Amino acid sequence: MATVNVYNINGDQVGTIDLNDSVFGVEVNEGLVHQVVVAQLANKRQGTQSAKTRAEVSGGGKKPWKQKGTGHARQGSTRAPQWTHGGIVFAPKPRDYSVKVNKKERQAALKAVLSSRVAENKFVVVDDFSLSEIKTKKFVEVLGNLKVSKALVVLKDEEKNTVLSAKNVPSVKTAIANTINVYDILKYDTVVIDKAVVEKIEEVYA
């Protein structure tokens, strides 16, 4: 069972917490993690792109000139792709990019990346990450106290002051317990997490 330090927003150690090995100490299955990340990114695609084929553009009902004797190449329609305003060859059409991942696979991948962050000492637990006012400068100061820069900050609930203070910091993303995902944990170097969230995650996934 791994034990990590617990800090306050001033960067001072205020205690320790024991992490459940069934959540924060599992073996990393890189293939599974890759599969879940690919599925997550695919599911974010809208798939609404569309262009017209030669069957859908307007005009071109008449042969532009006779077949022979003009000196021009033969043409059957002005809707052909080589004509200005003609149709698009293999035009993209709306489609569904979604990829299905089983719930157990998704949970296993999430536990794997959380375990990797703990093993790399990039898992910072804070006793309470609530700010008294909306102030970006104060939020950046807290990150400096915790010695982190590019971080996923996981809060126990929608703490308005903290979320809005972090909004203008490009290297940081805030989330709550039920919105964390594999891609975000991998994208940001460090996970800064509220102590109450750690306990909540262990209740759900252990």
Side-chain angles (χ1 to χ4, degrees), residues 56-128:
E56 296 167 319
V57 294
S58 61
K62 179 184 176 183
K63 187 174 174 65
W65 51 72
K66 65 181 183 177
Q67 182 81 344
K68 294 177 178 292
T70 63
H72 296 301
R74 68 188 82 175
Q75 299 291 333
S77 170
T78 55
R79 294 190 295 185
Q82 70 269 23
W83 284 74
T84 302
H85 306 303
I88 303 297
V89 183
F90 306 126
K93 292 296 176 185
R95 56 167 289 192
D96 181 12
Y97 287 97
S98 63
V99 177
K100 184 178 181 297
V101 176
N102 294 334
K103 181 179 178 181
K104 286 186 177 180
E105 290 178 323
R106 190 168 59 249
Q107 291 180 347
L110 183 64
K111 290 191 284 188
V113 292
L114 286 172
S115 298
S116 70
R117 285 292 178 254
V118 172
E120 296 164 358
N121 294 320
K122 293 182 177 179
F123 191 83
V124 180
V125 181
V126 181
D127 63 342
D128 185 16

Side-chain angles (χ1 to χ4, degrees), residues 25 76 128 157 172 177-178 204:
D128 185 16
D157 51 38
V172 170
N178 61 353
V204 174

Side-chain angles (χ1 to χ4, degrees), residues 5-176:
N5 297 329
V6 179
Y7 301 91
N8 60 21
I9 59 175
N10 296 319
D12 301 322
Q13 183 180 341
V14 294
T16 59
I17 184 172
D18 293 327
L19 302 178
N20 191 326
D21 282 343
S22 64
V23 179
F24 297 99
V26 303
E27 185 178 348
V28 178
N29 183 336
E30 294 183 1
L32 178 60
V33 171
H34 178 265
Q35 179 184 341
V36 171
V37 169
V38 168
Q40 185 179 334
L41 294 178
N43 294 342
K44 290 173 68 175
R45 298 183 68 176
Q46 288 183 314
T48 55
Q49 75 279 30
S50 183
K52 292 182 178 181
T53 65
R54 63 181 296 164
E56 296 167 319
V57 294
S58 61
K62 179 184 176 183
K63 187 174 174 65
W65 51 72
K66 65 181 183 177
Q67 182 81 344
K68 294 177 178 292
T70 63
H72 296 301
R74 68 188 82 175
Q75 299 291 333
S77 170
T78 55
R79 294 190 295 185
Q82 70 269 23
W83 284 74
T84 302
H85 306 303
I88 303 297
V89 183
F90 306 126
K93 292 296 176 185
R95 56 167 289 192
D96 181 12
Y97 287 97
S98 63
V99 177
K100 184 178 181 297
V101 176
N102 294 334
K103 181 179 178 181
K104 286 186 177 180
E105 290 178 323
R106 190 168 59 249
Q107 291 180 347
L110 183 64
K111 290 191 284 188
V113 292
L114 286 172
S115 298
S116 70
R117 285 292 178 254
V118 172
E120 296 164 358
N121 294 320
K122 293 182 177 179
F123 191 83
V124 180
V125 181
V126 181
D127 63 342
D128 185 16
F129 206 129
S130 55
L131 301 181
S132 58
E133 58 181 337
I134 301 171
K135 203 168 187 66
T136 301
K137 185 177 179 180
K138 176 63 177 176
F139 182 85
V140 173
E141 181 184 322
V142 172
L143 292 183
N145 294 339
L146 298 173
K147 295 181 175 61
V148 299
S149 54
K150 188 176 182 181
L152 175 66
V153 179
V154 187
L155 307 170
K156 58 188 174 184
D157 51 38
E158 290 284 359
E159 297 174 11
K160 182 179 178 181
N161 290 353
T162 306
V163 172
L164 293 180
S165 297
K167 198 170 184 180
N168 286 334
V169 183
S171 60
V172 170
K173 179 176 181 178
T174 57
I176 56 177

